[in-house]
Amino acid sequence: MYQFKARCSGLADFMPQKRGGEGLSDTAKSAVRKIAKFDLFGYQDFEGNKYTEKGNLLEEQAIKLSGRKRGLPLKKNTERRENEWITGECDIYVPSRKLIIDTKCSWDIGSHPFFTDEAADKAKKAGYDIQMQGYMWLWDCEEAQIDFVLFPTPYEMLSSYDSPERYIDLVEQIPQDKRITTVVVKRDNALIDKIKDRVDAAKIYYQACIEQYSA
């Protein structure tokens, strides 16, 4: 029995409505079809790249830097939660503060948001603001903070075309406390209700895809 639940990391794809009326947008339908293909065949079209690899390699360092910034001994969350609509595994959960913290490792100086408006724009463009609403819903929190952090790229990740000076030396010259920019996202229950509606619509299309294939 196939059951559709949207991952928090992909929630932003389901939010746009169909142009000119009700229903799922083309972006949302495409996202549903990808999930259906994974459930049916175990296939996924994205298996990572150098940007996600850097984030995975430096995740522990990022969490430590987030902790130092706040004076808290933070640790990686390993619990996955779900409800009737969504599923997710946040980076950091601070129960004493009802707070979610998510770390995003930038690739280089050019892509790192050093300025608050730049960070807010980047979070919204990437859909991280919607992702945080999902986490706050699952963990019953009132606030989420997105930490964009910049570390030197590990030397072994650089290709022969990448300059170590650009990706390592220039970054190391910047004080570490200047290499973390935080975006605050407050819980928005109206937006969470909209997420429910969009995922309900996605469930219907998902079931139609599964039934069409299984017929």
Side-chain angles (χ1 to χ4, degrees):
M1 177 65 182
Y2 297 102
Q3 185 180 25
F4 178 89
K5 288 187 180 180
R7 287 179 172 267
C8 289
S9 57
L11 277 178
D13 289 338
F14 299 104
M15 301 313 289
Q17 286 189 296
K18 186 176 181 180
R19 189 176 296 177
E22 292 293 320
L24 290 177
S25 66
D26 290 343
T27 299
K29 285 186 174 182
S30 177
V32 171
R33 290 192 292 265
K34 288 177 182 179
I35 293 170
K37 288 177 182 179
F38 178 78
D39 290 348
L40 287 168
F41 315 117
Y43 172 85
Q44 56 187 48
D45 61 346
F46 179 75
E47 296 184 326
N49 53 33
K50 65 181 182 179
Y51 309 111
T52 56
E53 183 183 356
K54 179 179 180 179
N56 292 333
L57 282 173
L58 299 177
E59 185 176 45
E60 286 301 324
Q61 282 182 245
I63 291 172
K64 286 179 182 177
L65 182 57
S66 293
R68 281 199 296 273
K69 176 177 180 175
R70 295 170 176 84
L72 294 172
L74 300 179
K75 62 179 182 179
K76 166 76 174 167
N77 168 65
T78 57
E79 178 190 10
R80 174 168 289 276
R81 292 191 182 185
E82 61 181 47
N83 60 24
E84 185 180 338
W85 295 271
I86 65 172
T87 176
E89 185 176 317
C90 65
D91 285 348
I92 305 160
Y93 169 48
V94 188
S96 62
R97 302 193 181 188
K98 302 290 279 183
L99 173 66
I100 298 293
I101 302 172
D102 208 67
T103 60
K104 308 291 185 185
C105 284
S106 303
W107 174 248
D108 58 14
I109 289 173
S111 62
H112 181 70
F114 285 94
F115 316 107
T116 53
D117 61 335
E118 182 185 18
D121 288 346
K122 183 166 185 173
K124 189 163 188 175
K125 186 175 181 180
Y128 297 150
D129 55 338
I130 307 297
Q131 181 183 8
M132 295 306 112
Q133 293 294 336
Y135 290 150
M136 286 187 281
W137 183 14
L138 290 173
W139 270 267
D140 193 25
C141 290
E142 295 302 318
E143 184 174 305
Q145 297 176 2
I146 306 165
D147 282 351
F148 290 98
V149 297
L150 176 63
F151 292 116
T153 301
Y155 185 80
E156 61 272 16
M157 284 192 64
L158 301 179
S159 72
S160 57
Y161 301 102
D162 294 326
S163 163
E165 180 188 16
R166 176 188 176 99
Y167 294 102
I168 300 174
D169 299 342
L170 289 179
V171 175
E172 288 178 337
Q173 291 174 12
I174 304 168
Q176 197 170 69
D177 65 340
K178 297 293 187 184
R179 290 192 259 127
I180 179 168
T181 310
T182 301
V183 175
V184 175
V185 182
K186 298 289 187 180
R187 181 175 177 136
D188 183 339
N189 288 320
L191 185 51
I192 288 173
D193 286 340
K194 186 177 179 183
I195 290 172
K196 290 180 187 178
D197 291 341
R198 306 315 297 148
V199 174
D200 279 337
K203 282 182 178 183
I204 294 171
Y205 180 62
Y206 171 87
Q207 203 57 45
C209 290
I210 296 296
E211 289 174 3
Q212 180 183 337
Y213 175 78
S214 302

